């Protein structure tokens, strides 16, 4: 009997290229389109490979999948998976690597420009009141400081897009600092940035990183861009900073709960420019995400190791 690979959820992407790749390499494939752990456990009980979107994969679910050997994600992040529980059970966890670095960086910079030029206001006023002007108005881009929290592949790409357009770029993060970026401590980047863009994974250490204290340390009138994970920011503290006028605006592609529930303060806030977690999206990236997710499984099947592992699993007893 061929090994079973099961898709949990894939949202608006077409899984067929990945399904074909898996089938061509000897897998039986089942597509569930659910995040419900009970449904996943029932349908994937005999699976060796789980291809997950944003479905949570915790220790309880892993215990119900005794034959599972790999969880392949449709994301660069791994916050939906208990990686420690998986690796302790001898299960690989793999991600999509750099499949959409260009798209995410472009989206972040586009949101930054939209904030600076007050496009949220003008796209409406152009249809309703031609002579209306926002307060505060647009600022001159070349006079502004861009702050990057996280200067890995995506943050570095944002820096390259911004180079020559802003007054200076400050960066905080581990690893090498890209050309044109001045390294600075976190508090300094936060305090001196007019535009602050987040490019970090969501981990125990980064959850709620931008709390009320750090937000209060931002320059009055500064603006925040987040295309990483909603959980990096204390949502209530951000809403309060916008309400008070301390921050002039925020552009968010991610929220801590998605889709946002009715009454979500940030989703409905007049100073928030919101896009629905689409920073990664392009025709090329949609194809690459699906194929890379499946290639991780195929490469593991043939070599014992996925293409883009997040952690090395423990040896199975």
């Amino acid at each position: 009997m061929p090994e079973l690979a099961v898709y949990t959820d894939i949202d608006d992407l077409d899984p067929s290229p990945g399904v074909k790749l898996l089938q061509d390499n000897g897998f039986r494939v089942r597509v569930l389109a659910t995040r419900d752990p009970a449904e996943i456990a029932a349908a994937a009980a005999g699976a060796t490979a789980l291809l997950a979107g944003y479905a949570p994969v915790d220790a309880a679910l892993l215990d119900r999948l005794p034959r599972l050997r790999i969880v392949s994600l449709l994301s660069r992040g791994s916050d939906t998976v208990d990686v420690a529980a998986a690796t302790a059970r001898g299960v690989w966890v793999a991600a999509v690597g750099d499949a959409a670095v260009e798209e995410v960086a472009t989206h972040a910079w586009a949101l930054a420009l939209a904030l600076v030029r007050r496009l949220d206001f003008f796209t409406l006023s152009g249809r309703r009141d031609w002579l209306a002007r926002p307060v505060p108005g647009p600022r001159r881009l070349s006079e502004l400081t861009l702050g990057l929290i996280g200067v890995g592949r995506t943050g570095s790409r944002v820096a390259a897009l911004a180079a020559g357009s802003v007054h200076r770029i400050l960066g905080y993060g581990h690893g090498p600092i890209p050309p044109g970026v001045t390294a600075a401590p976190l508090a300094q980047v936060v305090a001196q940035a007019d535009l602050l863009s987040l490019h970090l994974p969501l981990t125990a250490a980064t959850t709620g990183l931008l709390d009320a204290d750090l937000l209060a340390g931002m320059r009055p009138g500064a603006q925040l861009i987040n295309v990483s994970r909603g959980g990096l920011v204390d949502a209530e503290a951000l809403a309060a900073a916008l309400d008070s006028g301390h921050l002039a605006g925020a552009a968010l592609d991610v929220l801590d709960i998605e889709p946002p529930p009715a009454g979500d303060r940030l989703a409905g806030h007049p100073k928030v420019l919101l896009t629905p977690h689409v920073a990664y999206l392009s025709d090329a990236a949609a194809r690459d995400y699906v194929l890379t997710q499946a290639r991780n499984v195929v490469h593991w099947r043939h070599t014992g190791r996925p293409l883009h592992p997040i952690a090395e699993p423990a040896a199975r007893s």
Side-chain angles (χ1 to χ4, degrees):
M1 177 79 66
E3 292 187 61
L4 176 63
V6 175
Y7 284 87
T8 60
D9 56 318
I10 200 160
D11 290 344
D12 56 345
L13 300 181
D14 176 10
S16 57
V19 171
K20 183 178 185 304
L21 180 63
L22 291 164
Q23 290 173 337
D24 288 348
N25 282 272
F27 283 91
R28 291 180 296 131
V29 182
R30 189 172 295 157
V31 181
L32 304 181
T34 183
R35 298 180 186 177
D36 182 84
E39 293 181 25
I40 294 169
T48 56
L50 196 67
L51 294 95
Y54 291 100
V57 181
D58 59 13
L61 177 58
L62 290 166
D63 285 340
R64 298 177 70 179
L65 304 175
R67 299 189 63 187
L68 192 66
R69 298 296 180 269
I70 182 170
V71 177
S72 187
L73 300 171
L74 196 64
S75 171
R76 291 186 70 193
S78 58
D79 49 284
T80 57
V81 179
D82 187 334
V83 176
T87 55
R89 289 161 175 78
V91 177
W92 287 95
V93 181
V96 296
D98 295 341
V101 165
E102 178 180 349
E103 284 79 3
V104 175
T106 300
H107 199 83
W109 184 232
L111 290 178
L113 294 176
L115 284 176
V116 171
R117 294 303 306 161
R118 294 303 312 270
L119 296 190
D120 57 329
F121 181 92
F122 288 124
T123 52
L124 294 176
S125 69
R127 295 183 176 91
R128 298 176 182 176
D129 182 354
W130 192 261
L131 297 178
R133 298 293 183 263
V135 178
R139 301 177 66 187
R140 178 170 287 177
L141 185 62
S142 62
E143 296 178 351
L144 304 182
T145 293
L146 171 65
L148 299 170
I149 299 181
V151 287
R153 287 180 286 271
T154 304
S156 296
R157 189 65 178 258
V158 174
L161 291 170
S165 296
V166 295
H167 173 59
R168 61 173 176 161
I169 305 173
L170 300 177
Y172 166 80
H174 304 292
I177 299 297
V181 178
T182 300
L186 176 62
Q188 182 180 341
V189 175
V190 169
Q192 296 185 9
D194 300 291
L195 298 165
L196 185 67
S197 192
L198 308 184
H199 302 284
L200 294 173
L202 185 64
T203 66
T206 63
T207 296
L209 176 68
L210 257 71
D211 57 13
D213 289 339
L214 267 183
L215 290 168
M218 290 182 67
R219 179 173 288 179
Q223 296 166 308
L224 176 71
I225 302 101
N226 187 10
V227 296
S228 295
R229 286 290 188 268
L232 296 173
V233 183
D234 182 325
E236 288 300 312
L238 176 56
L242 294 167
D243 287 341
S244 70
H246 178 65
L247 297 186
L252 309 174
D253 186 57
V254 288
L255 297 170
D256 52 1
I257 300 175
E258 297 176 359
D264 185 282
R265 288 185 69 190
L266 291 178
H269 202 286
K271 293 183 180 179
V272 170
L273 196 165
L274 181 68
T275 56
H277 204 144
V278 292
Y280 71 94
L281 189 60
S282 72
D283 53 356
R287 178 190 66 243
D288 290 348
Y289 262 54
V290 169
L291 284 174
T292 302
Q293 184 184 37
R295 284 171 182 149
N296 271 319
V297 175
V298 170
H299 200 267
W300 161 79
R301 182 67 183 81
H302 291 310
T303 71
R305 184 181 186 88
L307 288 169
H308 304 289
I310 289 173
E312 188 95 17
R316 299 182 69 93
S317 58

